[in-house]
């Protein structure tokens, strides 16, 4: 959090922050969580961290670290993250529901595609209890998103 006072020069800490995304001690997931959060605060200047944030999104055992990685990807604003974010839409366990919703929000932000309830703070559910935002984002990915070249945007 102290990096904020360094402004644009804070990006010099990016390699150390990325290294902390891989902090091995499962008992101290707060190290990985704070690293992802600090990367988010660097915004677009942290673009080099996108591949590492995607690794954290896909493999970290702590759901909070994964969600913060999604948030960081949104703050960085690099569309090349969309396929990794889309993968999180299809996780089916209850612990990943917020992860799926947050991923849909960030995909909308990165692509300009509107999904129901984006930015509303409340999420409507279908008759089976699935958030409409996630259903719409999944449909968009299957019908359109997966066919786009996300590395050249």
């Amino acid at each position: 959090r102290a990096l904020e006072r360094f402004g644009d020069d804070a990006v010099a800490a990016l390699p150390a922050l990325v290294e902390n995304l891989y902090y091995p001690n499962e008992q101290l997931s707060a190290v990985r969580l704070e690293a992802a959060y600090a990367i988010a605060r660097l915004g677009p200047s942290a673009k080099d961290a996108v591949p590492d944030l995607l690794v954290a999104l896909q493999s970290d055992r702590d759901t909070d670290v994964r969600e913060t990685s999604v948030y960081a990807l949104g703050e960085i604003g690099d569309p090349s993250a969309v396929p990794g974010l889309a993968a999180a839409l299809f996780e089916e366990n209850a612990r990943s529901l917020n992860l799926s919703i947050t991923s849909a929000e960030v995909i909308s932000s990165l692509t300009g595609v509107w999904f129901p309830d984006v930015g509303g703070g409340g999420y409507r559910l279908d008759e089976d209890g699935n958030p409409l935002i996630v259903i719409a984002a999944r449909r968009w990915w299957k019908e359109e998103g997966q066919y786009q070249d996300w590395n050249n945007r």
Side-chain angles (χ1 to χ4, degrees):
R1 295 180 185 187
L3 289 174
E4 289 177 351
R5 66 179 175 215
F6 293 100
D8 292 341
D9 292 336
V11 75
L14 188 59
L17 294 171
V18 166
E19 186 176 324
N20 281 330
L21 285 175
Y22 297 96
Y23 194 79
N25 187 331
E26 287 299 318
Q27 303 300 326
L28 294 174
S29 62
V31 172
R32 296 188 309 280
L33 179 69
E34 290 299 327
Y37 190 63
I39 292 169
R41 285 185 272 185
L42 294 174
S45 63
K47 184 177 179 175
D48 290 347
V50 167
D52 300 290
L53 288 165
L54 288 169
V55 169
L57 167 59
Q58 295 164 359
S59 63
D60 202 286
R61 295 172 79 181
D62 187 300
T63 305
D64 291 334
V65 173
R66 297 179 73 208
E67 281 185 49
T68 305
S69 296
V70 170
Y71 168 71
L73 290 165
E75 292 298 301
I76 291 168
D78 183 354
S80 71
V82 170
L85 292 164
L89 295 172
F90 294 92
E91 294 192 22
E92 294 293 335
N93 64 59
R95 295 187 70 194
S96 63
L97 182 60
N98 284 337
L99 181 71
S100 295
I101 290 171
T102 305
S103 293
E105 288 268 2
V106 171
I107 289 170
S108 178
S109 170
L110 294 176
T111 63
V113 175
W114 181 85
F115 304 127
D117 301 327
V118 166
Y123 301 99
R124 293 172 290 154
L125 307 175
D126 70 0
E127 60 277 354
D128 296 322
N130 299 305
L132 297 180
I133 186 173
V134 174
I135 294 168
R138 286 174 178 170
R139 184 174 325 130
W140 170 82
W141 179 252
K142 288 178 182 177
E143 294 174 0
E144 296 178 43
Q146 69 178 327
Y147 302 110
Q148 297 181 32
D149 182 3
W150 294 105
N151 291 319
N152 292 314
R153 288 187 166 235

